[in-house]
Amino acid sequence: MKMKKIKTVQIGWGHDHALAVWECLKRNADVFETAGYYIPETEKDKFPDRAAAFGGLKRYGSEEEIFRDPTVEAVVVETEEAALTRYALAAVRAGRHVHMDKPGGFKAEEFDALVSAVKERKTAFSLGYMYRYNPFVREAIERVRRGELGEIFSVEA
């Protein structure tokens, strides 16, 4: 049985990982249908070199246009860090599933509002994460450097 693809739109290209996430969506075309993208005004002129990666797909004129499209199920938020939580919250309030890059915002109350909206709307939510800052990962790396864990031949995370 063939699985229905998840129709996805990316908001932003200002985050450091924006192009890598976009390429990941395209590589996983058996799961995701990349419907298009929206670039906030604040990012249009700052990162002109990134436009080519999005060529050939629909460029939405506003976030409202995305949310009016009933076929869009999920939104990937890859804006500059200061705008991540705002766009993710708008997408969740519009009933879309969301992946946003880190951080979860600059103010705890903004992220709390996002989490509350996710719970209320019962949408899926994914937050980018950097394992290298996890205290347990940092400890494991130090133990490897000290030779306490023997020869490492495989790591899964």
Side-chain angles (χ1 to χ4, degrees), residues 7-9 35 60 66-67 69-75 95-96:
K7 192 166 184 179
T8 307
V9 170
Y60 286 81
I66 295 167
F67 304 145
D69 183 343
T71 66
V72 174
E73 301 168 89
V75 175
R96 302 316 191 272

Side-chain angles (χ1 to χ4, degrees), residues 62-135:
S62 68
E63 63 189 281
E64 293 80 13
E65 183 182 356
I66 295 167
F67 304 145
R68 283 192 307 266
D69 183 343
T71 66
V72 174
E73 301 168 89
V75 175
V76 174
V77 183
E78 289 288 332
T79 62
E80 293 180 285
E81 293 173 351
L84 286 167
T85 308
R86 182 179 81 73
Y87 283 106
L89 181 57
V92 168
R93 286 182 173 156
R96 302 316 191 272
H97 304 289
V98 171
H99 167 79
M100 69 179 263
D101 218 316
K102 70 228 161 288
F106 293 140
K107 296 179 182 173
E109 54 273 8
E110 291 175 356
F111 190 70
D112 288 344
L114 174 58
V115 171
S116 293
V118 165
K119 290 177 180 178
E120 178 184 312
R121 303 275 189 187
K122 295 180 174 44
T123 57
F125 176 70
S126 169
L127 177 65
Y129 185 77
M130 291 212 279
Y131 282 97
R132 68 179 173 262
Y133 294 120
N134 180 296

Side-chain angles (χ1 to χ4, degrees), residues 17-52:
H17 303 113
L19 296 184
V21 170
W22 182 253
E23 290 301 320
C24 184
L25 288 171
K26 291 191 321 187
R27 272 193 318 274
N28 289 284
D30 56 325
V31 177
F32 300 102
E33 177 188 344
T34 50
Y37 63 99
Y38 166 64
I39 305 305
E41 284 296 323
T42 58
E43 296 180 13
K44 286 180 182 173
D45 296 329
K46 285 184 185 178
F47 309 100
D49 57 320
R50 298 182 184 179

